[in-house]
Amino acid sequence: MQYDVIIKNAMIVDGSGSAAYPGDIGIKGSRIVTVGRVRAPAGRVIDAEGHAVTPGFVDGHTHMDAQVFWDPLGSSSCYHGVTTAIMGNCGFTLAPCPREEADYVFRNLERAEDLPRESMLAGIDWRWESFPEFLDVVDALPKGINYGGYIGHSALRTYVMRERAFSEQATSDELARMEHEVRTAIKAGAIGFSTSRTYNHLTSDDRPVASRVADWSEVRALVNAMGETGAGIFEIASETPGRKPERQKEYFDRLVELTVESGRPLTYGMFSTRLASDVWRPFYEVANEAARAGGRIFVQCHSRHLSTLLSFETHTPFDTWEVWRDLRAHPLEEQKRLLRDPDWRRRLLDVATRPYDGPMVVGAEARPPEWDWLWVMNDIGVEERMDDVGAKRGVHPAEAMIDLALERDFKVFFRQPLANEDQEHALEMMRHPRSVVTFSDSGAHVAQIMDSSLQTHLLSHWVREKQEFTFEQAVRLITYDTATAWGLHDRGLIREGMNADLLVIDPQTVAPLMPTVEHDLPAGAKRLVQKSTGIRYTLVNGQVMLEDCRPTGALPGRLARGPLAVAR
């Protein structure tokens, strides 16, 4: 046999969690055809001596719906080994929606997911109305990695109800139409149906996003409509029932009842927080309760702390504060000059040391600083707490922040934790039998957070530094486990007949690099970008798409449709 690609001399980490073994991998077209010793000729031979070969990583929680139109690579996910990304989470999708009503979906996306409206207007070639038409457009786009997508509740509501979606309940006729659209989307290849119930998701004018206005009976009807097809996953940005046992029980009973009666898996993300450190565990325990009742819930967790990254090139904690608003309206070079001006500095510090009394802060937006919970990032994993920095310099931490920014020409990040501050909790979540390690939010919060590196962080921090997992165990968490959870049974393992989505990795050096601020979004908008080291080759559908994070020009990505469309 003439192979297209052979990967030779590898230590094969096959995604199952089993011990690595030496071997070669033969690829023909987009599939793995041989695993073992391969001696036949090939169009290209990759020598993986000293490296592991793993399945490509699968990320079940992204918001790449808009980015896929202007970024063929799929960055920053692709830089961290992700070869398949599930988009359309939390009810936020671009379809169903006609071009002339795009403002509705922009309203749902621009604040809740920090996607610049000007970038969406400039970067999206709108060629659909229905969700099946949207899938066909995505299918035809040049793509570096593979994508699957949910149909989102907020887009569905505004498609059927228009402006009323942000303030009213659906009529019976409107609900029937939404049910029809859900069934049609699942049959066309949607991965499932997603919604948001979290108070963190607001429009730019401080209203709830459209899905939050719906009562639970609407959510239940739409999930059961999906259930009628026999396919699809229900993803929910969860309600926050608080600590009251009766309120928690009422909410969890609804979740269990819904997964049982619909027959469909249910998933949500859940992290810990130092402000309510005991709240997260019941969200994991209810997954066991659902299994006992005959349903299925799996919980998405993260490999590290979630943090807003602050910088003068993106956002500071003070951007909306008096005096600071005026400063931040200037170009960056002028801001540097004003920060050195004694009068400006005095006025800025006077404001920065007062109690905060500004507008509500939600989601990943910058919060008023707690200086003992704010770190300057000197490098990945090398940080100093800002109250300590201020004490060493003999100044208020706010002045130390200004000085550090000027000393480094604004090329410095300050990390403001949002969740998973207790890393022992993060470890416990990753080890839970009904969790999956995912939730990068890639494609969203573009100038606020950078969690696309959760996979390389897992391999560098929890495997190499902490030795809490073997390399094989960690690879399974982000390949076989995630692929199986989302029903992508043709990937996540190195086996004959599987998708040739593969990584050639050095386990001794794989790690995330420091983020950077880039102005590469449509209309010149800024975003955070992060690359990695240690991933020598990224193969998608049998083609080398990246070499050491450098694009080869190949764009072999495909649309991963749900099982009903695949079976057609």
Side-chain angles (χ1 to χ4, degrees):
M1 177 188 292
Q2 172 80 30
Y3 294 95
D4 294 319
V5 178
I6 296 174
I7 304 175
K8 296 190 70 69
N9 306 317
M11 286 301 294
I12 297 174
V13 179
D14 66 6
S16 70
S18 300
Y21 59 90
D24 307 331
I25 300 170
I27 299 167
K28 185 78 172 175
S30 64
R31 297 285 170 177
I32 299 169
V33 294
T34 304
V35 180
R37 287 298 177 192
V38 181
R39 294 180 174 85
R44 178 172 186 179
V45 176
I46 295 173
D47 186 355
E49 184 73 40
H51 290 70
V53 176
T54 76
F57 304 152
V58 177
D59 189 344
H61 195 114
T62 80
H63 293 275
M64 303 288 275
D65 309 62
Q67 185 177 326
V68 70
F69 287 91
W70 60 72
D71 174 19
L73 290 182
S75 59
S76 293
S77 291
C78 66
Y79 299 139
H80 300 276
V82 171
T83 56
T84 300
I86 305 301
M87 56 189 184
N89 284 271
C90 306
F92 303 131
T93 55
L94 301 179
C97 180
R99 178 197 297 265
E100 60 271 16
E101 295 179 0
D103 178 72
Y104 288 132
V105 295
F106 291 169
R107 266 192 267 170
N108 286 316
L109 281 164
E110 61 183 336
R111 183 179 181 191
E113 298 299 341
D114 185 38
L115 277 169
R117 175 181 288 258
E118 64 270 24
S119 294
M120 291 188 282
L121 284 169
I124 298 174
D125 180 12
W126 209 283
R127 292 178 282 129
W128 65 86
E129 176 171 329
S130 70
F131 195 83
E133 289 169 344
F134 171 76
L135 288 181
D136 289 343
V137 170
V138 173
D139 202 1
L141 290 173
K143 300 176 291 296
I145 63 175
N146 308 305
Y147 295 93
Y150 296 97
I151 179 172
H153 192 182
S154 282
L156 180 60
R157 257 191 145 241
T158 54
Y159 180 60
V160 172
M161 299 175 64
R162 281 30 180 207
E163 190 64 38
R164 292 178 47 255
F166 294 98
S167 58
E168 298 181 23
Q169 298 306 312
T171 66
S172 57
D173 287 345
E174 288 168 337
L175 182 57
R177 187 178 171 198
M178 284 191 272
E179 291 171 337
H180 170 75
E181 294 294 335
V182 168
R183 288 189 290 264
T184 301
I186 299 299
K187 291 173 184 176
I191 294 295
F193 166 73
S194 69
T195 193
S196 173
R197 311 284 289 177
T198 174
Y199 66 86
N200 283 324
H201 287 156
L202 298 173
T203 64
S204 54
D205 58 353
D206 288 326
R207 292 193 295 170
V209 296
S211 66
R212 286 183 55 200
V213 179
D215 61 23
W216 186 254
S217 65
E218 179 177 311
V219 175
R220 180 180 175 185
L222 295 174
V223 175
N224 279 316
M226 179 174 68
E228 292 170 16
T229 71
I233 295 167
F234 174 43
E235 186 271 338
I236 179 171
S238 204
E239 293 179 23
T240 307
R243 302 187 186 193
K244 292 183 178 180
E246 63 275 13
R247 176 71 179 89
Q248 284 190 357
K249 184 178 186 307
E250 185 272 335
Y251 178 57
F252 292 143
D253 284 350
R254 277 190 275 134
L255 296 182
V256 172
E257 179 183 3
L258 185 52
T259 184
V260 171
E261 71 179 6
S262 68
R264 304 317 309 151
L266 185 156
T267 185
Y268 47 77
M270 179 49 58
F271 317 110
S272 70
T273 171
R274 64 188 173 91
L275 301 178
S277 60
D278 58 337
V279 166
W280 65 271
R281 280 194 179 87
F283 282 83
Y284 286 75
E285 293 164 3
V286 74
N288 291 325
E289 180 184 337
R292 290 190 291 269
R296 183 178 173 218
I297 292 175
F298 62 95
V299 188
Q300 302 168 38
C301 67
H302 209 286
S303 66
R304 67 174 191 205
H305 49 69
L306 280 75
S307 297
T308 298
L309 298 187
L310 307 171
S311 80
F312 279 83
E313 291 189 318
T314 54
H315 302 287
T316 79
F318 309 113
D319 289 355
T320 62
W321 295 30
E322 183 186 351
V323 184
W324 286 82
R325 281 194 303 269
D326 301 329
L327 173 85
R328 298 292 284 157
H330 289 284
L332 292 180
E333 288 305 313
E334 178 66 6
Q335 289 184 45
K336 294 173 188 176
R337 187 188 71 79
L338 295 175
L339 287 169
R340 291 186 173 97
D341 180 273
D343 182 60
W344 268 90
R345 178 176 288 229
R346 177 187 57 76
R347 291 190 294 131
L348 290 166
L349 291 174
D350 178 61
V351 172
T353 53
R354 297 177 194 168
Y356 178 69
D357 63 354
M360 178 174 59
V361 176
V362 297
E365 296 170 351
R367 284 152 169 68
E370 298 175 75
W371 297 109
D372 58 343
W373 279 96
L374 188 69
W375 281 260
V376 58
M377 296 176 65
N378 298 313
D379 201 348
I380 291 292
V382 182
E383 302 176 332
E384 293 180 273
R385 217 171 66 185
M386 283 304 298
D387 61 338
D388 291 335
V389 174
K392 288 177 186 176
R393 291 174 175 245
V395 298
H396 190 278
E399 187 164 11
M401 173 182 271
I402 292 172
D403 290 338
L404 282 167
L406 290 172
E407 290 163 12
R408 303 184 192 183
D409 196 33
F410 281 5
K411 304 295 182 184
V412 60
F413 289 107
F414 303 89
R415 183 175 68 82
Q416 187 176 47
L418 302 175
N420 274 11
E421 299 95 337
D422 187 331
Q423 285 289 277
E424 289 303 311
H425 288 174
L427 182 60
E428 187 177 340
M429 292 176 200
M430 288 191 286
R431 286 181 165 157
H432 194 280
R434 302 194 192 278
S435 73
V436 287
V437 181
T438 190
F439 211 112
S440 71
D441 256 358
S442 286
H445 307 293
V446 294
Q448 295 174 334
I449 66 174
M450 176 40 67
D451 286 340
S452 297
S453 57
L454 76 89
Q455 292 87 5
T456 49
H457 177 81
L458 171 67
L459 299 177
S460 61
H461 178 76
W462 290 112
V463 174
R464 196 166 62 243
E465 296 173 22
K466 296 297 186 182
Q467 299 183 22
E468 293 289 351
F469 300 98
T470 66
F471 189 78
E472 293 90 339
Q473 289 169 338
V475 166
R476 173 173 174 145
L477 294 178
I478 50 181
T479 58
Y480 176 77
D481 286 358
T482 46
T484 301
W486 273 274
L488 303 172
H489 301 302
D490 57 353
R491 63 202 72 197
L493 283 173
I494 297 178
R495 296 281 191 276
E496 287 89 349
M498 302 290 274
N499 261 30
D501 297 340
L502 300 165
L503 307 175
V504 181
I505 301 181
D506 181 356
Q508 300 308 312
T509 62
V510 61
L513 298 174
M514 280 289 286
T516 59
V517 179
E518 307 294 340
H519 290 260
D520 62 354
L521 294 184
K526 60 182 174 286
R527 67 167 177 150
L528 298 169
V529 174
Q530 187 174 32
K531 295 186 176 181
S532 70
T533 186
I535 302 180
R536 183 73 182 89
Y537 298 97
T538 301
L539 286 81
V540 179
N541 295 312
Q543 297 184 45
V544 178
M545 179 252 193
L546 294 175
E547 294 186 16
D548 292 319
C549 278
R550 295 189 300 272
T552 64
L555 296 172
R558 297 177 180 174
L559 180 68
R561 293 186 188 258
L564 296 186
V566 171
R568 260 190 333 211

